[in-house]
């Protein structure tokens, strides 16, 4: 997975903006968001998390997009 830099670079910038994307924007993207939230909390990393469907992702401007492998060509 390529983040356009290292996670450390994003952390040093301050709050990371992470978007979880799935086909419908409800099930898997929300489950992923909850998992990411838990991990970042344990790491002490501040982040703005959101989830959406794949058609809405184009209008958003996150630092990092997390999605299933079948959407890796966004």
């Amino acid at each position: 997975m390529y983040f356009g830099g290292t996670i450390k670079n994003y952390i040093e910038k301050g709050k990371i903006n992470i978007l979880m994307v799935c086909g419908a924007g409800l099930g898997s993207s929300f489950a992923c968001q909850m998992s990411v939230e838990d991990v970042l909390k344990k790491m002490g990393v501040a982040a703005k998390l959101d989830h959406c469907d794949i058609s809405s992702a184009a209008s958003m401007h996150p630092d990092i997009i997390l999605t299933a492998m079948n959407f890796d060509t966004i």
Side-chain angles (χ1 to χ4, degrees):
M1 190 178 307
Y2 177 71
F3 296 114
T6 65
I7 294 293
K8 183 179 177 187
N9 290 345
Y10 290 107
I11 293 170
E12 289 171 354
K13 283 189 341 184
K15 188 176 262 192
I16 304 169
N17 185 359
I18 303 174
L19 179 65
M20 280 54 69
V21 178
C22 73
L26 301 172
S28 60
S29 62
F30 184 62
C32 182
Q33 179 178 338
M34 291 188 303
S35 296
V36 169
E37 202 167 32
D38 289 342
V39 170
L40 293 177
K41 185 176 181 179
K42 289 176 185 173
M43 294 175 63
V45 175
K48 178 187 178 293
L49 305 178
D50 202 1
H51 67 281
C52 70
D53 64 282
I54 195 164
S55 62
S56 301
S59 65
M60 305 180 102
H61 303 287
D63 297 314
I64 299 171
I65 295 175
L66 297 177
T67 189
M69 293 207 40
N70 57 323
F71 297 127
D72 69 349
T73 59
I74 295 177

